[in-house]
Amino acid sequence: MRRMTVFYESHLRAAGVKLSQYSLLANLSDTPQSVLDLANRLEMDRTTLTRNLNPLLAAGWVESCTCHDARKREYKLTADGNAAFARARAEWAKAQLALEAQLGRDYVARLNLDLENTLAQLKPALPDDN
């Protein structure tokens, strides 16, 4: 997993985005979303999500807003965040092509399928908060 992370991060660096930031940018939009909704979709705890959101807020890629319930915070992409995600998505596509060139398209497809199946089988064994 470490080598795969390094591989993708080396490509995303051209867009000024880390792998963890790419995942967040991909799951945010112009529509405000609560931390709870994002955490559930990303299968991460709220504390980690909030910590990972901070650099995106500082960069101006994400903004917090008050939703219908003033006790809750919601987050959405800014125009700069949409632009950062577009740059990162282009680099991600290049990374995918480079990975397929290195390992072979069929192998990458099998690897992705095996990983999805493995994670689905592993999920019931994880603690409820994960």
Side-chain angles (χ1 to χ4, degrees), residues 95-114:
Q96 281 296 112
L97 291 174
L99 187 68
E100 290 175 358
Q102 183 69 33
L103 301 177
R105 179 176 280 181
D106 290 341
Y107 182 82
V108 171
R110 283 192 313 274
L111 181 63
N112 286 330
L113 183 60
D114 286 346

Side-chain angles (χ1 to χ4, degrees), residues 59-130:
W61 294 347
V62 173
E63 66 183 0
S64 71
C65 48
T66 305
C67 62
H68 302 95
D69 182 347
R71 297 171 295 177
K72 292 183 180 179
R73 276 278 177 220
E74 291 186 335
Y75 297 90
K76 66 179 185 174
L77 284 181
T78 63
D80 287 345
N82 277 311
F85 179 58
R87 289 189 307 272
R89 189 174 48 229
E91 294 304 322
W92 181 271
K94 291 177 188 176
Q96 281 296 112
L97 291 174
L99 187 68
E100 290 175 358
Q102 183 69 33
L103 301 177
R105 179 176 280 181
D106 290 341
Y107 182 82
V108 171
R110 283 192 313 274
L111 181 63
N112 286 330
L113 183 60
D114 286 346
L115 183 57
E116 286 177 26
N117 289 335
T118 300
L119 293 175
Q121 291 178 41
L122 186 58
K123 186 170 181 160
L126 296 175
D128 289 337
D129 64 346
N130 192 333

